[in-house]
Amino acid sequence: MYSTQKKKKFPLKAIVIGALVVFGSLVTYGVGKAFLEQDGIAKVLGAKAKHIMVEGALYVDQQALREKIGLNFNDPLIGFKAADVKARVEELPWVSKAEVQRQLPSTVKVKLYEKKPLALWQSDDGRYVIDREGNPINRATDIFNYLPLLTGVSSSENAPKLFAMIAESPHLDNKITSAEFIGERRWNLMFENNVLVQLPEGASVSAMKKLKKLNDSKDVMKVDGIVIDLRIEDRIILRLPDNVDLSAGWPPQSQKNSV
């Protein structure tokens, strides 16, 4: 007798789910196996750190930088995450920004953008290098002795205005040796040759322009030990050292030795 039994049908959904489970198991096994054997794979592919190239590291502490990068010669590069290294490197005091790249098979490149040191700041607990915002970057060492020294209460907080003012007179920028913030309201600037410039409160930019004009016409900045008082808006007061010889006219051509 002919049988009319119907064949069983497997739902499409069940087939798809089963296939995904099998595929997922294979992928998980493959990734896990690769992870367990990463040293062996690294050796075959050459995926070990052979070149660690750093650009832009002028002031940053080298040992601290190596620790933040976290790689040594011949370390496996499988699983290396450039974003993690970037985040760690940017924690360093001198680093403003970092770029980290891996170039196959065995090179890691780190490019640093360091903060620009603009001055030294004398605080109660030591001397610091500060940036254009007046923020301390790190403790100062002897290599930064060429920078002007800021002193006085609130001098670091008012440093940005000072730097902006100096930018208006770039011809005087590299001649400033120190700046003292007086009474938390105005600056005294010490230049080369012990030239002292007393700036007014709140009108320093215009005073610096006045100083430039005076210096262009009279070369006052060449007189050793002169005091240039710009604190009064409508006048300039010059105080000359006792040993300045004016017999040859202005500016002084020579100075007599004081006894």
Side-chain angles (χ1 to χ4, degrees):
M1 181 181 277
Y2 181 72
S3 173
T4 58
Q5 273 187 327
K6 293 182 179 180
K7 295 182 180 180
K8 292 182 179 180
K9 294 183 179 180
F10 290 97
L12 178 61
K13 184 176 180 181
I15 295 174
V16 171
I17 292 174
L20 289 174
V21 169
V22 173
F23 177 74
S25 299
L26 290 172
V27 170
T28 303
Y29 171 76
V31 171
K33 191 170 186 295
F35 176 78
L36 292 174
E37 298 178 356
Q38 64 175 334
D39 245 3
I41 294 174
K43 183 177 290 186
V44 172
L45 299 180
K48 287 180 175 255
K50 299 294 184 183
H51 308 284
I52 303 172
M53 304 173 66
V54 178
E55 179 184 347
L58 182 59
Y59 302 118
V60 68
D61 181 87
Q62 299 297 316
Q63 180 59 36
L65 178 60
R66 283 193 290 269
E67 291 174 1
K68 292 295 186 181
I69 294 174
L71 277 177
N72 295 308
F73 181 75
N74 265 346
D75 279 355
L77 286 175
I78 291 181
F80 173 82
K81 294 183 179 180
D84 291 348
V85 176
K86 169 183 165 66
R88 292 198 302 267
V89 170
E90 288 180 346
E91 294 172 351
L92 294 169
W94 275 106
V95 178
S96 175
K97 178 185 174 183
E99 295 176 356
V100 181
Q101 294 179 332
R102 177 188 170 187
Q103 295 185 344
L104 295 174
S106 57
T107 297
V108 172
K109 288 188 174 182
V110 180
K111 185 175 183 179
L112 304 182
Y113 297 87
E114 292 186 328
K115 298 171 185 176
K116 183 179 179 181
L118 284 192
L120 301 178
W121 169 56
Q122 185 65 53
S123 73
D124 293 337
D125 65 340
R127 190 168 291 187
Y128 290 83
V129 183
I130 61 175
D131 61 17
R132 67 176 59 254
E133 301 301 324
N135 298 318
I137 301 174
N138 214 343
R139 282 191 176 271
T141 59
D142 290 344
I143 66 171
F144 297 105
N145 286 345
Y146 69 95
L147 293 172
L149 174 64
L150 307 189
T151 59
V153 178
S154 301
S155 56
S156 63
E157 292 90 335
N158 287 273
K161 292 182 180 179
L162 173 66
F163 298 146
M165 177 192 68
I166 292 173
E168 296 288 331
S169 303
H171 64 295
L172 298 175
D173 187 1
N174 61 350
K175 297 178 181 179
I176 296 176
T177 58
S178 65
E180 182 182 6
F181 200 49
I182 306 294
E184 300 186 62
R185 57 189 178 83
R186 66 170 198 85
W187 291 96
N188 275 355
L189 304 183
M190 182 65 73
F191 290 77
E192 294 176 353
N193 303 328
N194 293 318
V195 173
L196 175 62
V197 176
Q198 298 174 309
L199 296 175
E201 179 182 358
S204 297
V205 173
S206 60
M208 289 292 280
K209 291 179 179 178
K210 189 187 300 183
L211 174 61
K212 179 184 184 304
K213 185 176 180 180
L214 175 66
N215 191 54
D216 287 346
S217 61
K218 300 296 183 181
D219 282 334
V220 292
M221 305 296 290
K222 292 182 178 179
V223 182
D224 292 356
I226 192 173
V227 176
I228 305 171
D229 190 344
L230 301 172
R231 291 176 293 175
I232 302 175
E233 184 177 356
D234 61 349
R235 69 191 65 182
I236 299 174
I237 300 172
L238 302 180
R239 299 184 182 91
L240 300 174
D242 293 338
N243 64 339
V244 170
D245 182 8
L246 291 175
S247 61
W250 187 273
Q253 300 300 311
S254 63
Q255 295 183 357
K256 296 178 180 178
N257 293 328
S258 57
V259 180

